[in-house]
Amino acid sequence: NYGLSTLLVTPCMGVQRSIAMWLVSQNINIPRLLVQAVAVPLHAFLTWYLVFHTNLHYVGAGVAMALSGIAQVIMIYAYLSYSSMCAQSWKGFDRQAFTDWQPYLQVAVPGVLMNSEYFVGESLTFAAAPLP
């Protein structure tokens, strides 16, 4: 149950890190700070509420992680969409974004494999859960 509740965390982390690296390359750092300043208390409140005040108990922590990740992606995407600082360099998605993926995947797939330590750590946590 906990594992299923955290399935959205990984794609959200991928989107967040991609946008974060793009913002860093544009030398735009304050929005990331503001998003985290909102997201951390939100995550703490969601975790507390879902664990102690609902029937979800420990699964509520996973749901809170997923909801917090989704909220962070929405906030940073809203900044990208409506900020005047990003108006010249961010035009949004169009069909051209889904073409010529082969060079990107040649770099991305090995990068994902090299950074799979997060997935290994999560897998070990799941594997250790049934132990006494």
Side-chain angles (χ1 to χ4, degrees):
N1 290 337
Y2 177 79
L4 292 175
S5 68
T6 60
L7 283 178
L8 286 176
V9 172
T10 303
C12 289
M13 284 179 56
V15 171
Q16 285 175 324
R17 289 186 183 192
S18 299
I19 292 174
M21 292 301 110
W22 183 79
L23 286 171
V24 167
S25 72
Q26 303 293 318
N27 201 22
I28 303 171
N29 295 310
I30 299 298
R32 292 176 50 224
L33 172 70
L34 296 176
V35 166
Q36 291 301 319
V38 171
V40 169
L42 174 68
H43 177 69
F45 172 76
L46 281 173
T47 303
W48 170 77
Y49 182 77
L50 292 174
V51 169
F52 295 113
H53 297 288
T54 65
N55 291 333
L56 294 174
H57 304 294
Y58 70 91
V59 175
V63 172
M65 281 177 45
L67 291 175
S68 177
I70 292 168
Q72 289 178 41
V73 168
I74 289 170
M75 286 186 283
I76 202 71
Y77 185 77
Y79 173 78
L80 289 176
S81 299
Y82 299 112
S83 169
S84 62
M85 292 180 73
C86 298
Q88 296 300 318
S89 55
W90 174 256
K91 305 291 185 198
F93 288 107
D94 60 4
R95 288 183 183 238
Q96 188 178 5
F98 299 102
T99 60
D100 297 326
W101 277 63
Q102 185 176 1
Y104 173 76
L105 290 176
Q106 287 175 342
V107 174
V109 171
V112 167
L113 294 176
M114 288 188 319
N115 291 317
S116 63
E117 65 208 63
Y118 172 77
F119 305 115
V120 171
E122 290 294 320
S123 300
L124 290 174
T125 302
F126 294 140
L131 295 175

